[in-house]
Amino acid sequence: MESGPGLEDGTIDVERLLVEPQDGHASMDSVLCFNEKTPENTMNMEDVSRSFGYHIPNDFCSMGEDYLLGFDFAESITNLDYGSTEALQTSVSDSPIMASNAGTDTPWKSDPFRIMEVAERENNQLLVSSSELGDIPSCRPEPQTLAEEKSLKSLTSPNIDSFNDISSCSFQDILSDENVASPSPSVEMLCCPKTEKIDEFGFTGQDSKTKGQDALATISGQAGLTEAPPKQKRSRKPTQRYIDELSDPISRYSKKRREVSSSTIKDKSLGVKDHKKCHTGYKTMRLPDEDSSVKAIQVPFASLVHKECPKSQEYVVVSFEAHSSDRSNSMTKSKDNRFTLENQKKRDECTTSLHPKRRDDCVPAPSQKKRDDHNTATNQKKRDDWIITVSPKKREPRAAAVSEKKRDEENDDCLYEESSEEVSGRRKHHRLWTIAEVRKLIDGVSQHGVGRWSRIKKLFFSTSPHRTSVDLKDKWRNLLKASGIKEQGDRQGEKKRNMAWRPLPKSILRRVCELATMHPYPKGRKHKIGHLHHDSPDRSTDITLSDYRKILRSINSN
DNA sequence: TTTAGGG
DNA sequence: CCCTAAA
């Protein structure tokens, strides 16, 4: 991330550091990863150590972590602006651990604490060796293969360089590297076991007070102990994000989403989109329904009316509803009325001359067609932003429904944001059908027959740009399935199965059954279209005796 | 373009 | 809901 200029004040950094110990961990990890590039490195270290006469366990696994810790610790020291080599050498020579443990190799293995000490010692020694090797490679008494020597050199020298650099540069440099390139699996493995070790290490570090108190203070501070703030400079932000992502990506995501839902959305909608009358676009409508299980659904109702004023079909619905014997439930009725009235009102405002136009149902005006096309295309795209679902548990205040009459395309975002109930199973491109929509669909089918989806869409869903003719068709198909009209044989099982996922009111299902019976889905519509009385939605005239029987049968079965 | 149907 | 073949 950012490095060099713009560094935060050291004090602040330390504060954060103390507040969030994990930060420290991450940093340590970073350092570990940074320095411990390959196991090969360790191997070389061993060689180096051996050259100094110390007994180093060959088992890397048994000592790798500790070694790494020690190494890291030394690294920290150098980070604290100590003269790298000098300070380290001093540390080595001053360290009582060194004095006490030098030359010993057996007993400490069983003692964890001493393991740490040894690790430390090894580390110190390692650093020293590195420096010396860098300067005087020839001092190594044991001969090595050329390859080994080469690798050793190439590995140690850079380390020395980094030490020098680190003493002048900030932690950030390291972190930056770390952030840019994620550690390889092997390196990760090396880094993995560290977490608690850090604390241990802090403890150990404290123990050996001889080595730069400040440096130790830093580490112990990371372990939760308070000390004088070191001069470590590093940027917290990247690490924080890094940690967040690693520790809890999901919660972070949802949290972010929630943020967006609450504040950002508001700001966006009110600030940026205010001029688009977004506020009026908010409508979360809960539709009352016969079945208590019916989902509450928010229906953004496009106020495309002003754009598509030349259209009014609501009265058709009304007329149909007028003689529909199915609206049994008062709640449904009231909802329907409200719904219808709302739309009717709004349409009447701008569509006084619409009725005549209605005769053009079969042959939409070019302009209309174009508009519809545009809408369709747009909708297709807009579906992404559109899906709105309200949890069934989440009953929205009825008042919200009142504002349901206007909605603009520009409000899509607002609506989306407003109904930020992504929790409720809403999916992109999926928008639950409201009862009102289903009713409209049924009305449309009842008047125009099955299969005239485009027309129904135009006539009944002109204000719902998100519903395409295909959607209508699909929905009808689903309704048929839900109503179990097809499965007359195993109707019982079918019904039972459907009941689980079918929140539809019975009245609707029955109407679906009727219509399905009357308008056999795919092929049968031709003879039903035969009647050219587009203006007379009196479907009863089309019912044949057999149809009637079918209807009766379906109703009885329900 | 629209519809039917499968995924 | 999406996609596509067919009309």
PDB file of all heavy atoms in Angstrom, chain A residues 383 429-430 467 474, chain C residues 1-5:
ATOM      1  N   ARG A 383     -33.222  -5.872 -14.662  1.00  0.00           N
ATOM      2  CA  ARG A 383     -33.601  -6.922 -13.729  1.00  0.00           C
ATOM      3  C   ARG A 383     -32.558  -7.074 -12.647  1.00  0.00           C
ATOM      4  O   ARG A 383     -32.869  -7.400 -11.518  1.00  0.00           O
ATOM      5  CB  ARG A 383     -33.720  -8.240 -14.474  1.00  0.00           C
ATOM      6  CG  ARG A 383     -35.027  -8.366 -15.212  1.00  0.00           C
ATOM      7  CD  ARG A 383     -35.059  -9.678 -15.917  1.00  0.00           C
ATOM      8  NE  ARG A 383     -36.235  -9.812 -16.733  1.00  0.00           N
ATOM      9  CZ  ARG A 383     -36.400 -10.838 -17.558  1.00  0.00           C
ATOM     10  NH1 ARG A 383     -35.462 -11.729 -17.664  1.00  0.00           N
ATOM     11  NH2 ARG A 383     -37.484 -10.944 -18.273  1.00  0.00           N
ATOM     12  N   HIS A 429     -32.136 -10.898 -10.324  1.00  0.00           N
ATOM     13  CA  HIS A 429     -32.993 -11.324 -11.429  1.00  0.00           C
ATOM     14  C   HIS A 429     -34.205 -12.100 -10.942  1.00  0.00           C
ATOM     15  O   HIS A 429     -34.840 -12.775 -11.715  1.00  0.00           O
ATOM     16  CB  HIS A 429     -32.218 -12.187 -12.405  1.00  0.00           C
ATOM     17  CG  HIS A 429     -31.111 -11.445 -13.060  1.00  0.00           C
ATOM     18  ND1 HIS A 429     -30.414 -11.927 -14.115  1.00  0.00           N
ATOM     19  CD2 HIS A 429     -30.597 -10.247 -12.808  1.00  0.00           C
ATOM     20  CE1 HIS A 429     -29.511 -11.063 -14.474  1.00  0.00           C
ATOM     21  NE2 HIS A 429     -29.602 -10.042 -13.681  1.00  0.00           N
ATOM     22  N   HIS A 430     -34.449 -12.007  -9.740  1.00  0.00           N
ATOM     23  CA  HIS A 430     -35.625 -12.705  -9.249  1.00  0.00           C
ATOM     24  C   HIS A 430     -36.463 -11.769  -8.417  1.00  0.00           C
ATOM     25  O   HIS A 430     -36.006 -11.188  -7.453  1.00  0.00           O
ATOM     26  CB  HIS A 430     -35.226 -13.902  -8.408  1.00  0.00           C
ATOM     27  CG  HIS A 430     -36.412 -14.664  -7.939  1.00  0.00           C
ATOM     28  ND1 HIS A 430     -36.539 -15.100  -6.668  1.00  0.00           N
ATOM     29  CD2 HIS A 430     -37.534 -15.030  -8.590  1.00  0.00           C
ATOM     30  CE1 HIS A 430     -37.688 -15.725  -6.539  1.00  0.00           C
ATOM     31  NE2 HIS A 430     -38.308 -15.701  -7.695  1.00  0.00           N
ATOM     32  N   ARG A 467     -41.576  -6.952 -15.628  1.00  0.00           N
ATOM     33  CA  ARG A 467     -42.272  -8.168 -16.031  1.00  0.00           C
ATOM     34  C   ARG A 467     -42.339  -8.208 -17.546  1.00  0.00           C
ATOM     35  O   ARG A 467     -43.031  -7.413 -18.175  1.00  0.00           O
ATOM     36  CB  ARG A 467     -43.686  -8.179 -15.462  1.00  0.00           C
ATOM     37  CG  ARG A 467     -43.740  -8.125 -13.951  1.00  0.00           C
ATOM     38  CD  ARG A 467     -43.145  -9.357 -13.350  1.00  0.00           C
ATOM     39  NE  ARG A 467     -43.299  -9.368 -11.901  1.00  0.00           N
ATOM     40  CZ  ARG A 467     -42.536 -10.054 -11.094  1.00  0.00           C
ATOM     41  NH1 ARG A 467     -41.539 -10.760 -11.573  1.00  0.00           N
ATOM     42  NH2 ARG A 467     -42.747 -10.029  -9.805  1.00  0.00           N
ATOM     43  N   ASP A 474     -44.055 -17.518 -17.906  1.00  0.00           N
ATOM     44  CA  ASP A 474     -43.491 -18.403 -16.888  1.00  0.00           C
ATOM     45  C   ASP A 474     -44.366 -18.436 -15.651  1.00  0.00           C
ATOM     46  O   ASP A 474     -44.590 -19.484 -15.051  1.00  0.00           O
ATOM     47  CB  ASP A 474     -42.087 -17.937 -16.516  1.00  0.00           C
ATOM     48  CG  ASP A 474     -41.099 -18.208 -17.629  1.00  0.00           C
ATOM     49  OD1 ASP A 474     -41.369 -19.107 -18.441  1.00  0.00           O
ATOM     50  OD2 ASP A 474     -40.079 -17.510 -17.692  1.00  0.00           O
TER      51      ASP A 474
ATOM     52  P    DC C   1     -39.014 -12.611 -12.594  1.00  0.00           P
ATOM     53  OP1  DC C   1     -38.517 -11.304 -12.983  1.00  0.00           O
ATOM     54  OP2  DC C   1     -40.247 -13.121 -13.099  1.00  0.00           O
ATOM     55  O5'  DC C   1     -37.875 -13.657 -13.054  1.00  0.00           O
ATOM     56  C5'  DC C   1     -36.793 -13.808 -12.138  1.00  0.00           C
ATOM     57  C4'  DC C   1     -35.679 -14.543 -12.815  1.00  0.00           C
ATOM     58  O4'  DC C   1     -35.970 -15.944 -12.844  1.00  0.00           O
ATOM     59  C3'  DC C   1     -35.461 -14.105 -14.264  1.00  0.00           C
ATOM     60  O3'  DC C   1     -34.094 -13.806 -14.484  1.00  0.00           O
ATOM     61  C2'  DC C   1     -35.856 -15.297 -15.079  1.00  0.00           C
ATOM     62  C1'  DC C   1     -35.649 -16.448 -14.123  1.00  0.00           C
ATOM     63  N1   DC C   1     -36.546 -17.595 -14.409  1.00  0.00           N
ATOM     64  C2   DC C   1     -35.986 -18.785 -14.830  1.00  0.00           C
ATOM     65  O2   DC C   1     -34.758 -18.854 -14.932  1.00  0.00           O
ATOM     66  N3   DC C   1     -36.804 -19.819 -15.122  1.00  0.00           N
ATOM     67  C4   DC C   1     -38.109 -19.682 -14.997  1.00  0.00           C
ATOM     68  N4   DC C   1     -38.870 -20.723 -15.297  1.00  0.00           N
ATOM     69  C5   DC C   1     -38.702 -18.473 -14.549  1.00  0.00           C
ATOM     70  C6   DC C   1     -37.889 -17.456 -14.271  1.00  0.00           C
ATOM     71  P    DC C   2     -33.675 -13.043 -15.716  1.00  0.00           P
ATOM     72  OP1  DC C   2     -32.786 -11.968 -15.276  1.00  0.00           O
ATOM     73  OP2  DC C   2     -34.893 -12.744 -16.509  1.00  0.00           O
ATOM     74  O5'  DC C   2     -32.826 -14.113 -16.533  1.00  0.00           O
ATOM     75  C5'  DC C   2     -32.104 -15.134 -15.828  1.00  0.00           C
ATOM     76  C4'  DC C   2     -31.509 -16.087 -16.838  1.00  0.00           C
ATOM     77  O4'  DC C   2     -32.375 -17.228 -16.976  1.00  0.00           O
ATOM     78  C3'  DC C   2     -31.355 -15.483 -18.229  1.00  0.00           C
ATOM     79  O3'  DC C   2     -30.102 -15.827 -18.778  1.00  0.00           O
ATOM     80  C2'  DC C   2     -32.497 -16.083 -19.019  1.00  0.00           C
ATOM     81  C1'  DC C   2     -32.728 -17.413 -18.324  1.00  0.00           C
ATOM     82  N1   DC C   2     -34.136 -17.864 -18.352  1.00  0.00           N
ATOM     83  C2   DC C   2     -34.435 -19.165 -18.769  1.00  0.00           C
ATOM     84  O2   DC C   2     -33.519 -19.916 -19.098  1.00  0.00           O
ATOM     85  N3   DC C   2     -35.728 -19.556 -18.810  1.00  0.00           N
ATOM     86  C4   DC C   2     -36.690 -18.717 -18.439  1.00  0.00           C
ATOM     87  N4   DC C   2     -37.941 -19.141 -18.490  1.00  0.00           N
ATOM     88  C5   DC C   2     -36.389 -17.389 -18.003  1.00  0.00           C
ATOM     89  C6   DC C   2     -35.115 -17.004 -17.984  1.00  0.00           C
ATOM     90  P    DC C   3     -29.667 -15.193 -20.136  1.00  0.00           P
ATOM     91  OP1  DC C   3     -28.225 -14.943 -20.079  1.00  0.00           O
ATOM     92  OP2  DC C   3     -30.610 -14.112 -20.494  1.00  0.00           O
ATOM     93  O5'  DC C   3     -29.931 -16.417 -21.127  1.00  0.00           O
ATOM     94  C5'  DC C   3     -29.480 -17.719 -20.748  1.00  0.00           C
ATOM     95  C4'  DC C   3     -29.904 -18.714 -21.804  1.00  0.00           C
ATOM     96  O4'  DC C   3     -31.276 -19.096 -21.571  1.00  0.00           O
ATOM     97  C3'  DC C   3     -29.830 -18.178 -23.218  1.00  0.00           C
ATOM     98  O3'  DC C   3     -29.073 -19.060 -24.024  1.00  0.00           O
ATOM     99  C2'  DC C   3     -31.276 -18.075 -23.680  1.00  0.00           C
ATOM    100  C1'  DC C   3     -31.982 -19.075 -22.787  1.00  0.00           C
ATOM    101  N1   DC C   3     -33.387 -18.706 -22.475  1.00  0.00           N
ATOM    102  C2   DC C   3     -34.403 -19.638 -22.661  1.00  0.00           C
ATOM    103  O2   DC C   3     -34.115 -20.758 -23.082  1.00  0.00           O
ATOM    104  N3   DC C   3     -35.678 -19.279 -22.381  1.00  0.00           N
ATOM    105  C4   DC C   3     -35.934 -18.049 -21.921  1.00  0.00           C
ATOM    106  N4   DC C   3     -37.199 -17.746 -21.650  1.00  0.00           N
ATOM    107  C5   DC C   3     -34.904 -17.085 -21.724  1.00  0.00           C
ATOM    108  C6   DC C   3     -33.660 -17.451 -22.010  1.00  0.00           C
ATOM    109  P    DT C   4     -28.756 -18.659 -25.492  1.00  0.00           P
ATOM    110  OP1  DT C   4     -27.406 -19.164 -25.785  1.00  0.00           O
ATOM    111  OP2  DT C   4     -29.087 -17.246 -25.710  1.00  0.00           O
ATOM    112  O5'  DT C   4     -29.813 -19.545 -26.281  1.00  0.00           O
ATOM    113  C5'  DT C   4     -30.055 -20.884 -25.841  1.00  0.00           C
ATOM    114  C4'  DT C   4     -31.148 -21.499 -26.682  1.00  0.00           C
ATOM    115  O4'  DT C   4     -32.439 -21.129 -26.147  1.00  0.00           O
ATOM    116  C3'  DT C   4     -31.156 -21.056 -28.145  1.00  0.00           C
ATOM    117  O3'  DT C   4     -31.473 -22.166 -28.962  1.00  0.00           O
ATOM    118  C2'  DT C   4     -32.262 -20.026 -28.189  1.00  0.00           C
ATOM    119  C1'  DT C   4     -33.236 -20.619 -27.195  1.00  0.00           C
ATOM    120  N1   DT C   4     -34.195 -19.668 -26.602  1.00  0.00           N
ATOM    121  C2   DT C   4     -35.492 -20.069 -26.426  1.00  0.00           C
ATOM    122  O2   DT C   4     -35.891 -21.170 -26.719  1.00  0.00           O
ATOM    123  N3   DT C   4     -36.316 -19.105 -25.878  1.00  0.00           N
ATOM    124  C4   DT C   4     -35.956 -17.825 -25.504  1.00  0.00           C
ATOM    125  O4   DT C   4     -36.776 -17.064 -25.034  1.00  0.00           O
ATOM    126  C5   DT C   4     -34.581 -17.475 -25.719  1.00  0.00           C
ATOM    127  C7   DT C   4     -34.096 -16.118 -25.357  1.00  0.00           C
ATOM    128  C6   DT C   4     -33.774 -18.395 -26.252  1.00  0.00           C
ATOM    129  P    DA C   5     -30.927 -22.155 -30.438  1.00  0.00           P
ATOM    130  OP1  DA C   5     -29.651 -22.887 -30.436  1.00  0.00           O
ATOM    131  OP2  DA C   5     -31.012 -20.806 -31.016  1.00  0.00           O
ATOM    132  O5'  DA C   5     -32.043 -23.061 -31.112  1.00  0.00           O
ATOM    133  C5'  DA C   5     -32.531 -24.201 -30.431  1.00  0.00           C
ATOM    134  C4'  DA C   5     -33.978 -24.450 -30.781  1.00  0.00           C
ATOM    135  O4'  DA C   5     -34.815 -23.481 -30.093  1.00  0.00           O
ATOM    136  C3'  DA C   5     -34.296 -24.303 -32.271  1.00  0.00           C
ATOM    137  O3'  DA C   5     -35.211 -25.307 -32.663  1.00  0.00           O
ATOM    138  C2'  DA C   5     -34.904 -22.911 -32.370  1.00  0.00           C
ATOM    139  C1'  DA C   5     -35.607 -22.781 -31.040  1.00  0.00           C
ATOM    140  N9   DA C   5     -35.725 -21.402 -30.550  1.00  0.00           N
ATOM    141  C8   DA C   5     -34.747 -20.447 -30.510  1.00  0.00           C
ATOM    142  N7   DA C   5     -35.147 -19.301 -30.008  1.00  0.00           N
ATOM    143  C5   DA C   5     -36.474 -19.522 -29.697  1.00  0.00           C
ATOM    144  C6   DA C   5     -37.463 -18.703 -29.139  1.00  0.00           C
ATOM    145  N6   DA C   5     -37.256 -17.433 -28.774  1.00  0.00           N
ATOM    146  N1   DA C   5     -38.688 -19.237 -28.956  1.00  0.00           N
ATOM    147  C2   DA C   5     -38.907 -20.507 -29.317  1.00  0.00           C
ATOM    148  N3   DA C   5     -38.057 -21.374 -29.854  1.00  0.00           N
ATOM    149  C4   DA C   5     -36.848 -20.814 -30.020  1.00  0.00           C
TER     150       DA C   5
END
